[in-house]
Amino acid sequence: MRGKRVDAERKRETRGEDREKAGMKACVTLVTLLVTLLVLCAGGEGARHALLIIADDAGFETEVYNNTAVRTPHLRALARRGVVFRNAFTSVSSCSPSRSTILTGLPQHQNGMYGLHQGVHHFNSFDGVQSLPLLLQHANVRTGIIGKKHVGPSAVYPFDFAYTEENGSVLQVGRNITRIKLLVRKFLQEQREESSGGETPPFFLYVAFHDPHRCGHSQPQYGPFCEKFGNGESGMGRIPDWHPERYTPEQVKVPYFVPDTPAARADLAALYTTVSRLDQGIGLVLQELRDAGFENDTLVMYSSDNGIPFPNGRTNLYDAGVAEPMIISSPEHRERWGQTSDAYVSLLDVTPTLLDWFSVPYPPYSLSGGSPVHLTGRSLLPALSSEPMWDTTYGSQSLHEATMYYPMRSVRRGRFVLLHNLNYRSPFPIDQDLYVSPTFQDLLQRTRAGTPTRWFKTLRQYYYRERWELFDTHLDPAEQNNLASDPQHEAILELLKDQLVKWQWETEDPWVCAPDAVLEDKMEPKCRPLYNEL
Ligand SMILES: *[C@@H]1O[C@H](CO)[C@@H](O)[C@H](O)[C@H]1NC(C)=O
Ligand SMILES: *[C@@H]1O[C@H](CO)[C@@H](O)[C@H](O)[C@H]1NC(C)=O
Ligand SMILES: *[C@@H]1O[C@H](CO)[C@@H](O)[C@H](O)[C@H]1NC(C)=O
Ligand SMILES: *[C@@H]1O[C@H](CO)[C@@H](O)[C@H](O)[C@H]1NC(C)=O
Ligand SMILES: [Ca+2]
């Protein structure tokens, strides 16, 4: 904002020089105008701020998306002050890769975060990536992160204020909503203290809840979704600000991609309880923003990094893995408050949106030494004024855990989605966290025993996929009827294949020639055939 103002002043100055020749009077008028502008600037009016709230593995378990079984009053309140997107998608259904795309605007195959960041494998983005926090820092926007970071290296993702799993307990900074509230308060207080002469500098605060991620793999003592952590029961500790909401297995709404079994229903009920902690945490964060007086200058974005951790969900590029909740609330765009948008938007749009909000340009640079990097996402601010005609999003997944190599690329356009499963001859891999979950264990046991699974697929279908999958999501929202070999859909298949590969070239995808050719990228990059019968 301030950058924009300075530019405007410079332009006015240049124009002023021209006019000097035309007459002194005009010049005096201009100087007066300039002084007025400078005074306005120094007055601190108009500094814009941004708050990005990302939940971990959250889905549509909220009334905002018409799930009436869950109570999430704070998300509902946020939706009343913003636009709800019904077609928001992540490009990748895995934690670190998704967070890297949120914070860079570049798909995982371009920024280098191919898989999860934690542990010995610690996937990282490339050193040269110019991330959102880096660009904002260079533009004198103060940056803060509270909660789950899960990306690296530090030099690519710098934050001025950081309370994350890197220097604390992820349960505390990501699930203890009292702790999160106090950290937000601290950040905003420091922000006020940085004000000089009444001017509050702009800030970007990223609150990355660890809720409602599963827990059974890491802290099983707190229940499958850590739904007992801090509930005041013996050994669980207390989170003073949390009033747990409890649900019975009969109350939950079972999504089409989850087996309707007692085990899965109990699993979903636990998820709902954890969603209540997320929702109340969001309420506390927004209250801190109001109390600190920033409500009317702050863009608030809410979304999640990937789909819910159930079979067909997280780690898949199917709808259940990539469709995300998304609410954007802007104090400067009230005309669409309370409305829903059908525009197709992507988490790759978060970085362009926030750069636009702060009037920070994306710099020219190259990662490959070849063509310059450019963002293929877009600013979503126009959608806050009127409904746009955006109808396309892209997907790109390579790994989740290091052993879970299953590269996929996808394009969604209108009612059609095309998926390219590059390694379709290997079984689809299962992550450790899902494996031990009550829902998946039940599915395995039922499959082995030959009893009805009450699932919409067989495990065999789930593990073994066609190379190309084309679905008509209007007629077939569960994506079960593959049209890729249907002659009637050949035209749309070819169109989407072309569009997908074009995006892969544009985003310098190292997998662009796989699986039936090799990318030779010296001199003129091209695909050289393997004759491997794929
Ligand atoms: C919820 O349902 C109502 C009524 O059918 C519909 O108008 C609204 O768009 C739905 N909201 C979302 C986010 O899908
Ligand atoms: C985490 O890092 C911040 C600096 O960003 C520091 O102020 C804070 O004390 C650290 N927290 C812990 C628990 O070490
Ligand atoms: C949550 O954080 C608050 C404030 O730091 C602390 O008093 C409380 O014990 C914490 N709760 C748990 C369950 O760790
Ligand atoms: C924000 O604006 C509304 C009216 O538009 C006003 O009622 C409220 O007090 C303002 N909040 C702050 C923190 O200035
Ligand atoms: Ca996640």
Side-chain angles (χ1 to χ4, degrees):
M1 187 63 177
R2 282 186 301 160
K4 208 168 167 181
R5 285 256 165 86
V6 171
D7 273 359
E9 280 161 32
R10 262 193 227 118
K11 275 185 206 138
R12 282 177 204 282
E13 259 170 347
T14 316
R15 275 190 233 134
E17 278 161 23
D18 293 338
R19 291 203 188 175
E20 213 171 81
K21 294 166 203 153
M24 203 58 196
K25 201 173 170 188
C27 188
V28 168
T29 316
L30 238 119
V31 167
T32 315
L33 195 76
L34 217 149
V35 168
T36 315
L37 265 170
L38 279 172
V39 167
L40 267 177
C41 259
E45 292 291 316
R48 283 173 156 185
H49 313 291
L51 170 66
L52 173 64
I53 302 173
I54 297 293
D56 201 355
D57 299 5
F60 299 97
E61 285 65 34
T62 154
E63 308 102 317
V64 171
Y65 285 92
N66 287 336
N67 183 331
T68 49
V70 196
R71 293 178 287 277
T72 57
H74 301 284
L75 277 172
R76 237 176 25 212
L78 180 63
R80 281 197 294 272
R81 287 178 52 93
V83 176
V84 173
F85 290 86
R86 292 209 293 195
N87 292 299
F89 301 96
T90 179
S91 64
V92 53
S93 190
S94 175
C95 208
S96 305
S98 177
R99 283 155 201 271
S100 75
T101 67
I102 292 170
L103 293 177
T104 66
L106 306 175
Q108 56 83 23
H109 62 246
Q110 190 173 22
N111 79 55
M113 184 75 69
Y114 300 144
L116 295 180
H117 174 70
Q118 85 268 10
V120 291
H121 303 298
H122 59 76
F123 286 96
N124 274 309
S125 290
F126 301 131
D127 294 341
V129 170
Q130 305 259 329
S131 75
L132 176 70
L134 189 81
L135 294 172
L136 292 182
Q137 233 180 28
H138 289 166
N140 296 318
V141 176
R142 183 161 169 260
T143 57
I145 177 172
I146 297 165
K148 183 175 179 179
K149 187 173 173 199
H150 218 205
V151 291
S154 304
V156 171
Y157 299 100
F159 287 91
D160 301 318
F161 176 103
Y163 288 81
T164 71
E165 79 278 8
E166 288 180 354
N167 78 346
S169 143
V170 74
L171 284 179
Q172 291 301 328
V173 296
R175 298 195 196 255
N176 183 341
I177 60 176
T178 297
R179 177 99 178 107
I180 294 167
K181 173 189 83 174
L182 295 174
L183 288 172
V184 170
R185 185 174 297 172
K186 183 174 157 70
F187 177 83
L188 295 178
Q189 248 159 23
E190 289 178 15
Q191 189 69 25
R192 281 259 168 255
E193 283 157 18
E194 294 217 349
S195 315
S196 55
E199 183 184 0
T200 306
F203 69 76
F204 164 59
L205 178 60
Y206 172 34
V207 179
F209 287 90
H210 190 24
D211 281 333
H213 194 281
R214 281 189 183 278
C215 230
H217 181 61
S218 47
Q219 286 101 5
Q221 68 273 27
Y222 295 125
F225 281 90
C226 264
E227 72 280 4
K228 295 181 187 151
F229 171 66
N231 72 0
E233 286 170 17
S234 142
M236 296 297 127
R238 246 185 71 74
I239 298 173
D241 287 287
W242 181 35
H243 310 287
E245 297 271 2
R246 295 193 171 79
Y247 300 88
T248 64
E250 295 72 40
Q251 279 176 308
V252 304
K253 291 199 172 179
V254 182
Y256 69 87
F257 58 91
V258 174
D260 192 350
T261 57
R265 281 180 169 269
D267 219 8
L268 284 166
L271 166 69
Y272 282 21
T273 294
T274 303
V275 167
S276 80
R277 192 167 56 211
L278 168 70
D279 180 70
Q280 291 170 34
I282 290 170
L284 294 171
V285 170
L286 294 176
Q287 188 59 45
E288 289 301 318
L289 195 71
R290 263 193 299 279
D291 291 349
F294 292 118
E295 182 183 31
N296 292 339
D297 313 304
T298 305
L299 181 79
V300 180
M301 298 181 78
Y302 165 74
S303 192
S304 163
D305 58 347
N306 49 251
I308 61 174
F310 284 83
N312 213 67
R314 187 183 65 190
T315 74
N316 286 276
L317 293 189
Y318 294 132
D319 189 273
V322 293
E324 301 301 337
M326 166 99 81
I327 304 171
I328 307 182
S329 164
S330 163
E332 293 180 25
H333 301 78
R334 299 183 180 214
E335 51 276 36
R336 294 199 72 196
W337 275 13
Q339 293 186 17
T340 55
S341 170
D342 288 325
Y344 278 41
V345 301
S346 167
L347 294 189
L348 289 170
D349 301 331
V350 173
T351 282
T353 302
L354 290 171
L355 290 177
D356 186 18
W357 177 252
F358 288 109
S359 301
V360 173
Y362 196 69
Y365 72 104
S366 168
L367 282 169
S368 58
S371 48
V373 173
H374 77 272
L375 301 175
T376 56
R378 56 160 65 91
S379 168
L380 301 180
L381 297 182
L384 306 183
S385 306
S386 59
E387 179 72 356
M389 298 291 289
W390 303 331
D391 71 346
T392 305
T393 59
Y394 295 93
S396 167
Q397 173 118 8
S398 295
L399 302 98
H400 183 69
E401 293 159 13
T403 51
M404 290 175 63
Y405 182 61
Y406 198 83
M408 302 172 274
R409 301 293 181 265
S410 71
V411 55
R412 278 172 195 273
R413 182 167 167 182
R415 64 196 291 176
F416 289 101
V417 56
L418 176 70
L419 291 103
H420 187 191
N421 299 309
L422 275 56
N423 281 26
Y424 65 102
R425 290 201 170 174
S426 17
F428 186 81
I430 303 297
D431 64 280
Q432 298 173 324
D433 185 50
L434 176 70
Y435 187 84
V436 298
S437 71
T439 300
F440 195 70
Q441 282 298 310
D442 183 59
L443 182 57
L444 286 176
Q445 277 154 20
R446 284 169 181 263
T447 301
R448 271 194 76 195
T451 52
T453 62
R454 314 207 56 182
W455 198 32
F456 78 135
K457 296 183 173 178
T458 64
L459 264 185
R460 193 177 169 80
Q461 285 168 332
Y462 186 62
Y463 287 145
Y464 295 98
R465 305 177 182 188
E466 303 284 330
R467 174 172 176 182
W468 296 99
E469 292 181 289
L470 176 70
F471 301 109
D472 179 337
T473 60
H474 282 191
L475 298 177
D476 176 28
E479 300 165 328
Q480 287 184 286
N481 182 19
N482 185 4
L483 302 169
S485 52
D486 172 17
Q488 299 208 335
H489 288 87
E490 204 178 320
I492 183 74
L493 177 72
E494 292 309 319
L495 185 85
L496 291 182
K497 275 187 183 177
D498 279 359
Q499 197 173 347
L500 181 56
V501 81
K502 229 174 107 196
W503 180 72
Q504 289 183 269
W505 282 113
E506 202 180 335
T507 53
E508 302 185 275
D509 186 353
W511 282 263
V512 65
C513 303
D516 38 19
V518 163
L519 171 63
E520 287 295 347
D521 57 4
K522 295 281 169 282
M523 317 295 275
E524 179 83 350
K526 55 172 170 293
C527 295
R528 308 287 298 272
L530 283 163
Y531 307 107
N532 60 10
E533 314 294 324
L534 292 181

